Amino acid sequence: MTALRLALADDQALVRRGLVAMLDADPRFEVVIEAQDGQELLEHLLERPVDLVLCDIRMPVLDGLGFVQRLRAGANPLPVILLTTFDDGDVMERAIRAGANGYLLKDADPEELADAILKVRDGEKVWAPQPLARVREHVNLPPPESPTESFDDRERALLRLMAAGLSNREIGERLHLAEGTVKNRVSVILGKLQARDRTQAVLKAITNGLI
């Protein structure tokens, strides 16, 4: 199995080395780029391709949010998980708006970090676990128009599992459905909410009180 190539940026050398040691101990991952700020990370990415980026939010020169904004301004779809020491809903909102694929606390255990990396690699969005009430409070996106189509109990259950960051396979196991069936139902939900991806669908569902 080819290891997933990772880039890691953190201005604290001890934290960075600890994360590198933890990730390199897992045969599924290989840290091929280390940087101490977002600008250095951008420069390294021009020289060496990677599959996914782990980036601290608070760094000098160019912070994690600025890094993601610069990356997306260049239409680069490279998956990025932002790491933070603080559970801050306002920063989570800014991470979502910047175009990050995930937001995770640095005190996540190795299994949680590995799971987040693999989910983002597979196209999922992963956010630090927070109660839905807290997300409603902090993610102050403009409320979308109320859905014109109704949602049954199973669709609401599926939305709640999407909000928890579960993959289609994991949702299928919870709801006793085939993975292909879940994928089709997710597509239907995206259409009903007029959402471009799962994250936007979850946010619209939250602001509309569907979950």
Side-chain angles (χ1 to χ4, degrees):
M1 180 180 65
T2 302
L4 202 64
R5 298 167 300 176
L6 305 177
L8 174 63
D10 195 302
D11 63 313
Q12 297 181 17
L14 286 176
V15 173
R16 190 172 66 247
R17 293 307 306 160
L19 285 169
V20 169
M22 181 172 67
L23 290 165
D24 280 347
D26 189 322
R28 295 172 296 180
F29 309 126
E30 179 187 6
V31 179
V32 298
I33 290 177
E34 292 182 53
Q36 59 185 355
D37 60 65
Q39 182 58 45
E40 183 181 357
L41 179 57
L42 285 171
E43 293 170 0
H44 284 316
L45 289 174
L46 293 175
E47 302 170 354
R48 189 164 190 179
V50 300
D51 301 303
L52 186 144
V53 173
L54 296 166
C55 184
D56 187 22
I57 288 182
R58 290 177 171 84
M59 296 184 295
V61 185
L62 183 65
D63 64 13
L65 294 170
F67 164 77
V68 177
Q69 290 168 344
R70 292 268 293 274
L71 200 67
R72 300 300 180 241
N76 190 328
L78 182 65
V80 179
I81 297 176
L82 293 176
L83 304 174
T84 182
T85 306
F86 307 100
D87 184 5
D88 188 332
D90 293 331
V91 174
M92 185 182 72
E93 177 185 353
R94 292 169 63 196
I96 291 170
R97 290 181 180 278
N101 304 82
Y103 170 94
L104 201 64
L105 299 179
K106 286 184 180 178
D107 63 1
D109 60 44
E111 289 184 6
E112 186 179 357
L113 177 59
D115 185 58
I117 291 171
L118 294 174
K119 284 182 176 179
V120 169
R121 186 271 314 268
D122 292 338
E124 305 287 338
K125 299 292 181 74
V126 176
W127 307 106
Q130 296 193 44
L132 291 180
R134 182 174 173 83
V135 177
R136 288 193 183 100
E137 176 185 352
H138 288 289
V139 184
N140 298 314
L141 299 178
E145 296 181 2
S146 297
T148 57
E149 299 186 65
S150 61
F151 287 77
D152 59 30
D153 290 342
R154 176 147 287 192
E155 288 173 325
R156 289 172 185 262
L158 200 153
L159 273 166
R160 285 192 290 271
L161 295 175
M162 288 168 59
L166 273 64
S167 67
N168 288 344
R169 178 182 58 78
E170 292 168 328
I171 291 173
E173 291 173 354
R174 295 284 186 91
L175 299 181
H176 306 292
L177 297 171
E179 185 174 351
T181 301
V182 174
K183 183 177 180 180
N184 291 336
R185 293 192 178 185
V186 169
S187 296
V188 170
I189 289 173
L190 295 184
K192 285 186 175 184
L193 289 170
Q194 298 181 2
R196 65 176 176 270
D197 56 33
R198 291 168 66 112
T199 298
Q200 189 179 63
V202 168
L203 293 175
K204 286 190 173 187
I206 291 170
T207 55
N208 277 309
L210 293 171
I211 56 176

